[in-house]
Amino acid sequence: MNRKLIAAIDTPDLARARDLIAQVAPHCGLVKLGLEFFLHHGPMGYRRAAEGVPVFLDLKLHDIPNTVAGGVRALLDLAPKLLTIHAQGGARMVAAAAEAAAQLGPERPKILAVTVLTSLGAPDLAEMGVTGEVSAQVLRLARVALENGADGLVCSAHEIAALRAEFGARRLLVVPGIRPTGTALGDQTRVMTPEEAVAAGADYIVVGRPITGAPDPGRAAAEIAASVA
């Protein structure tokens, strides 16, 4: 098992999710369940899929502070290890999420703030009225999140060095958009290989389709885990 590897189980099919988790869990620190799966199956499906496996629950909560706090409290019984919110929700929303998670005490989920989605580049941000480099927006959102109780960040591998320089080594960095050499980029635009991302300072790398789309997902997970051991 490699604790740095998170396998993204991005499927709405419960049976498929359970099968994939059984294959990849021995090689991963966590598995990721996301919005598509959770909307299809809810807490009951989550419990059936996870069954004792540590989970990164990637819902990217984003609403007014009171609603996000209520959402976090509603998820505490599921005991995910990591839970995402959007940093763009602002300081009060991030603080509300962190305070809600703290109610569970030491076993609480760690709150991760999503900065800029790895599918977005500078032209996409410009369309939304955000000028300048992607990295500048990442740093702005990261500062808001970390100063208001977030445990860490979800970021592109290309922002790891800047975030480490700005905020130090203690902040948890979870990095999606990871593509082993020779695999398709899909809808990701800011990517790195597993080896590059870990060398740059990622605490966790998130790998989806290169694992779940492989003929043998367990073997694919094992090979990626070995590459960053």
Side-chain angles (χ1 to χ4, degrees):
M1 181 181 74
N2 190 303
R3 293 187 64 257
K4 290 182 178 292
L5 177 61
I6 299 176
I9 311 299
D10 294 325
T11 174
D13 185 322
L14 178 58
R16 171 69 171 158
R18 284 167 57 86
D19 179 58
L20 285 169
I21 290 171
Q23 293 183 65
V24 306
H27 312 292
C28 303
L30 300 95
V31 298
K32 181 175 84 73
L33 293 174
L35 188 63
E36 185 179 11
F37 179 88
F38 202 79
L39 289 178
H40 269 80
H41 301 291
M44 185 176 296
Y46 173 101
R47 290 188 175 95
R48 290 189 63 197
E51 291 188 328
V53 175
V55 174
F56 168 24
L57 184 55
D58 186 20
L59 300 183
K60 299 184 180 71
L61 303 178
H62 187 181
D63 212 307
I64 64 172
N66 188 61
T67 298
V68 168
V72 171
R73 286 192 295 270
L75 296 168
L76 293 181
D77 283 348
L78 299 179
K81 299 299 182 183
L82 306 175
L83 177 64
T84 51
I85 62 174
H86 264 294
Q88 291 186 26
R92 290 189 298 118
M93 192 207 81
V94 174
E99 290 167 8
Q103 295 178 17
L104 201 59
E107 297 303 314
R108 68 177 180 84
K110 292 186 182 298
I111 298 296
L112 302 177
V114 177
T115 53
V116 176
L117 297 171
T118 54
S119 60
L120 299 178
D124 304 295
L125 294 184
E127 289 178 349
M128 295 182 278
V130 179
T131 58
E133 296 296 324
V134 171
S135 58
Q137 178 68 353
V138 168
L139 286 173
R140 282 192 290 267
L141 293 172
R143 185 171 293 105
V144 168
L146 295 175
E147 289 179 353
N148 287 279
D151 296 289
L153 305 164
V154 176
C155 66
S156 159
H158 293 275
E159 279 90 54
I160 295 172
L163 290 167
R164 288 296 185 213
E166 187 73 17
F167 303 110
R170 295 177 59 191
R171 304 296 192 172
L172 186 64
L173 297 184
V174 176
V175 182
I178 300 299
R179 291 291 183 270
T181 302
T183 58
L185 296 183
D187 55 3
Q188 305 287 357
T189 64
R190 299 176 359 262
V191 304
M192 275 190 183
T193 67
E195 299 91 333
E196 290 170 337
V198 169
D203 292 296
Y204 289 103
I205 56 171
V206 183
V207 184
R209 282 164 283 190
I211 292 176
T212 59
D216 185 340
R219 179 176 179 180
E223 289 175 350
I224 294 170
S227 76
V228 294

